[in-house]
Amino acid sequence: MVTVQGASPATRAVVTNHPRPPRTLRPGRPPKATGSRVTPWLFLVVPLAFLIVLTYVPVANMFWYSLTSWDGLEPEQEFVGIDNFVQIFTKPEIFQVFFVSLYYLVGAVAQLVLALYLATLLSFRTRFKNLFKGVIFFPYLINGVAIGLVFLYFLRPGGTLDALLAAVGVQDTPQWLGDPSFVNASLAATSVWRYMGLNFVLFLGAIQSVPSEQYEAADLDGANSWHKFRFIILPSIRRILGLSFILAIAGALSAFEMPYVMTGGANGSETFVIQTVNTAFKFSKVGLASAMAVVLLLIVLIITFVQRRVFPDEKGGES
């Protein structure tokens, strides 16, 4: 109770009945630990366990195997140091398969350009745009083996493609999968058809997230479609472009499904991943195959690092 000298009875009653302020913690004293800090970690235990057991432990084993001459069968693992890596960069039959990835790299660039163009076109008012969205994305939902078998019949001699070309007067058609000059281009085109839907959906979602007020302001300033694309759409989806670029480069270097199903790596279509699989399971050189996998991983990490420098985020830091 607080007493006020010289105050009236009513004033003293108000001051007397006024509640005390709540007690506060002393400055610098942290609150007591509660279960709220432990609960998130309880939910992360199982995912972290799977991540460590299924990702980090195998990667660590792969690095160890790359320094040995293990054949995958014998328990003994002879340590050979960097000899496997020297073989990768000195033997032409191993290193030259990287040049096959150039076809898939060109296809990946074409895939990004087509996906960005179609996503920009279908982000605005277009007739039957929902139908076109489904048609573009549908190939990505199909199993890769099924797509490989379909295009195997599509590109074979006298197949669907040759029949379509014959209908427009082209009679002398090449061996699309048998000629080393055309096989990699044909396989890369098949991969473009299959994976373009993924980039299309990523670009479409990013473009549709741009506020409509920016387009309205651009219309008031007299901007045309190219100006809107260059100064509004591209800056807004820069991070998605960077992510798609990484996925495209990684996919071009690790192409496996289409060439393995359609040609098995024959006629000069063997990719780096197919050669790695054959080295490990056909020639029983798991140590050398692990070194090849490490080289591929390092290339992807370097590309990712470069992308983070080229495509910084809006705050000036790295994406």
Side-chain angles (χ1 to χ4, degrees):
M1 182 177 68
V2 181
T3 303
V4 181
Q5 299 293 335
S8 62
T11 304
R12 288 198 298 271
V14 171
V15 175
T16 302
N17 297 328
H18 186 74
R20 293 182 178 180
R23 297 181 61 185
T24 59
L25 296 175
R26 295 180 181 178
R29 177 180 294 180
K32 295 182 179 180
T34 60
S36 60
R37 293 186 175 182
V38 182
T39 302
W41 291 101
L42 294 178
F43 285 97
L44 290 174
V45 167
V46 175
L48 286 176
F50 278 111
L51 182 64
I52 293 173
V53 174
L54 301 178
T55 301
Y56 293 123
V57 172
V59 169
N61 289 333
M62 181 182 68
F63 274 94
W64 164 247
Y65 295 150
S66 67
L67 301 175
T68 66
S69 60
W70 188 41
D71 60 357
L73 299 175
E74 299 295 333
E76 293 81 8
Q77 301 174 12
E78 181 183 356
F79 182 80
V80 295
I82 63 172
D83 182 63
N84 290 327
F85 296 94
V86 173
Q87 292 186 51
I88 294 174
F89 293 101
T90 55
K91 288 188 176 181
E93 62 272 15
I94 297 178
F95 189 75
Q96 67 183 3
V97 295
F98 273 112
F99 295 102
V100 177
S101 300
L102 295 178
Y103 289 90
Y104 295 93
L105 183 60
V106 174
V109 174
Q111 171 183 306
L112 292 177
V113 173
L114 288 174
L116 181 58
Y117 173 76
L118 294 174
T120 305
L121 188 64
L122 297 179
S123 296
F124 303 97
R125 293 182 179 180
T126 306
R127 297 185 62 183
F128 308 110
K129 67 177 183 179
N130 290 330
L131 174 63
F132 291 128
K133 291 177 184 178
V135 170
I136 296 172
F137 184 67
F138 180 72
Y140 184 71
L141 301 177
I142 305 177
N143 181 268
V145 176
I147 293 179
L149 294 176
V150 169
F151 274 88
L152 187 62
Y153 286 94
F154 181 79
L155 298 172
R156 70 176 183 177
T160 307
L161 181 58
D162 288 350
L164 293 175
L165 294 176
V168 296
V170 179
Q171 300 295 333
D172 188 12
T173 57
Q175 298 285 336
W176 302 107
L177 299 178
D179 190 345
S181 302
F182 292 93
V183 59
N184 290 312
S186 302
L187 295 173
T190 304
S191 298
V192 169
W193 182 84
R194 185 197 176 188
Y195 291 106
M196 185 177 63
L198 175 62
N199 298 112
F200 168 77
V201 170
L202 293 176
F203 293 150
L204 184 66
I207 293 174
Q208 291 182 343
S209 65
V210 179
S212 59
E213 291 79 5
Q214 297 187 20
Y215 298 115
E216 296 174 359
D219 291 332
L220 294 176
D221 292 336
N224 55 27
S225 299
W226 168 248
H227 292 152
K228 293 178 184 178
F229 176 78
R230 180 181 178 184
F231 297 106
I232 297 179
I233 294 178
L234 279 183
S236 301
I237 66 172
R238 182 172 54 179
R239 301 188 69 179
I240 299 298
L241 277 174
L243 173 62
S244 300
F245 180 77
I246 290 179
L247 295 177
I249 298 299
L253 294 174
S254 59
F256 172 75
E257 202 171 30
M258 291 295 102
Y260 189 79
V261 172
M262 297 178 65
T263 64
N267 302 323
S269 63
E270 185 179 35
T271 62
F272 190 73
V273 178
I274 293 178
Q275 189 181 61
T276 302
V277 172
N278 291 335
T279 302
F281 302 106
K282 185 176 180 180
F283 303 109
S284 299
K285 296 181 179 179
V286 178
L288 179 59
S290 299
M292 296 170 68
V294 170
V295 170
L296 182 60
L297 175 62
L298 293 178
I299 292 175
V300 174
L301 291 178
I302 292 173
I303 294 173
T304 304
F305 175 78
V306 173
Q307 181 273 334
R308 291 169 64 88
R309 296 295 181 181
V310 175
F311 295 95
D313 60 13
E314 292 78 2
K315 297 182 180 179
E318 295 179 357
S319 57

